Amino acid sequence: MTGLPTFDPIWEQLRNEGRNVDRYPWDVIVSFVYRYAPHDKARSEINILKVGCGGGNNLWFAAREGFQVSGIDGSPTAIAYARQRFAEDGLYCDLRVGDFTQIPFESNRFDLVIDRASITCCGLSTAKKAVSEVRRVLRTGGKFHFNPYSNLHSSYVSGRHGPDGLILDISAGTLVGVGQICFYGRSEIDALFTEGRELLTVQHMAIVEQVQPQFTEHAEWLVIAEKR
């Protein structure tokens, strides 16, 4: 996967070093699953896909709760780690090394698709292709959790501008050492959701650190869209 436009090779390096491999799910993902999973279907019939699944922490939670889960990531090391963890816990997840712009699953399969700060590591044109693929694999009425970083993030101004809207060589804030990032304003979000999707919620979330000598702001978007 090294060199693909959807995957910064630094993530394979980080996984090999045992960094950025979370054990437990993020609270926003737990809330999304419980709020938007169809209530008229058994959990065993509800299919969830995580784009940029990493070590599988969010899918691990969903599998334990009885949902059918699948994941795609550009890092072979992350996928191998996730497979081992699921096997050790007697759980199943369809885990694949793949490209966000060519999601290796059939159309209209998933009730929920989750992105938590993965597509934000791609450039704007690549993100548009990835979101189009998300729409393809979602069922009608399915929900998409999209979570990019905001251009109000302190790390945004600490890097240099690269191609396709990417910020490179970030030197300050909470995103130092994680490679290329695309920081979004509201206009960039609206540009992604123009092909039959309805935005259910667009929330801007910011945490300001006030103890350090220099104030820093961690800012991101939480977007929920529905396939129509």
Side-chain angles (χ1 to χ4, degrees), residues 31-47:
S31 297
F32 170 74
V33 169
Y34 282 129
R35 179 173 182 179
Y36 291 106
H39 298 297
D40 58 348
K41 298 170 65 175
R43 289 186 181 179
S44 60
E45 298 175 352
I46 296 172
N47 285 279

Side-chain angles (χ1 to χ4, degrees), residues 12 19 56 58 75 95 106 119 122-123 141 143-144 185 187 224:
E12 175 65 4
R19 298 163 57 193
N58 295 297
S75 167
L95 292 159
E106 62 270 25
I119 294 176
C122 307
K143 309 301 190 295
F144 175 37
S187 61
I224 309 297

Side-chain angles (χ1 to χ4, degrees), residues 13 15 20 24 42 45 47 51 60 63 65 75 85 88-89 120 125 132 146 191 210 219 226-227:
Q13 175 186 332
R15 307 302 191 198
N20 291 89
Y24 297 101
E45 298 175 352
N47 285 279
V51 177
W60 171 82
E65 293 300 304
S75 167
R85 184 181 186 191
E88 289 174 351
D89 287 352
T120 197
S125 63
S132 179
F146 177 55
Q210 300 188 359
E226 180 179 44
K227 179 178 177 178

Side-chain angles (χ1 to χ4, degrees), residues 153-160 167-173 176 183:
H153 198 295
S154 295
S155 292
Y156 174 67
V157 296
S158 75
R160 63 180 177 87
I167 300 297
L168 312 175
D169 302 326
I170 294 169
S171 60
V176 175
F183 294 87

Side-chain angles (χ1 to χ4, degrees), residues 39 67 72 85 90 96 110 124 134-135 138 142 158 161 184:
H39 298 297
F67 297 99
I72 176 177
R85 184 181 186 191
R96 307 188 191 186
F110 295 100
L124 290 171
V134 167
R135 184 176 189 275
L138 269 175
S158 75
H161 288 268
Y184 284 71

Side-chain angles (χ1 to χ4, degrees), residues 114-128:
I114 300 166
D115 161 70
R116 201 208 72 80
S118 294
I119 294 176
T120 197
C121 297
C122 307
L124 290 171
S125 63
T126 301
K128 189 172 184 64

Side-chain angles (χ1 to χ4, degrees), residues 44-217:
S44 60
E45 298 175 352
I46 296 172
N47 285 279
I48 300 174
L49 171 66
K50 177 72 168 63
V51 177
C53 63
N57 56 313
N58 295 297
L59 294 174
W60 171 82
F61 135 75
R64 284 173 59 91
E65 293 300 304
F67 297 99
Q68 295 295 313
V69 294
S70 303
I72 176 177
D73 199 276
S75 167
T77 298
I79 292 296
Y81 173 89
R83 285 173 176 161
Q84 180 178 351
R85 184 181 186 191
F86 273 78
E88 289 174 351
D89 287 352
L91 300 170
Y92 177 74
C93 181
D94 187 347
L95 292 159
R96 307 188 191 186
V97 179
D99 183 338
F100 295 173
T101 65
Q102 298 176 335
I103 296 177
F105 294 99
E106 62 270 25
S107 300
N108 306 308
R109 172 171 174 174
F110 295 100
D111 300 282
L112 303 176
V113 176
I114 300 166
D115 161 70
R116 201 208 72 80
S118 294
I119 294 176
T120 197
C121 297
C122 307
L124 290 171
S125 63
T126 301
K128 189 172 184 64
K129 294 176 183 177
V131 171
S132 179
E133 275 291 272
V134 167
R135 184 176 189 275
R136 179 184 65 79
V137 301
L138 269 175
R139 293 171 176 161
T140 299
K143 309 301 190 295
F144 175 37
H145 177 287
F146 177 55
N147 180 210
Y149 291 115
S150 163
N151 58 10
L152 297 182
H153 198 295
S154 295
S155 292
Y156 174 67
V157 296
S158 75
R160 63 180 177 87
H161 288 268
D164 204 20
L166 289 164
I167 300 297
L168 312 175
D169 302 326
I170 294 169
S171 60
T174 57
L175 297 175
V176 175
V178 297
Q180 63 187 29
I181 299 289
C182 188
F183 294 87
Y184 284 71
R186 179 60 195 267
S187 61
E188 285 78 25
I189 290 172
D190 288 341
L192 287 180
F193 294 93
T194 58
E195 298 176 0
R197 294 181 186 80
E198 178 182 354
L199 291 172
L200 299 181
T201 182
V202 179
Q203 299 176 3
H204 188 270
M205 303 175 292
I207 300 174
V208 180
E209 174 58 66
Q210 300 188 359
V211 172
Q212 297 177 2
Q214 183 176 10
F215 284 20
T216 59
E217 181 170 343

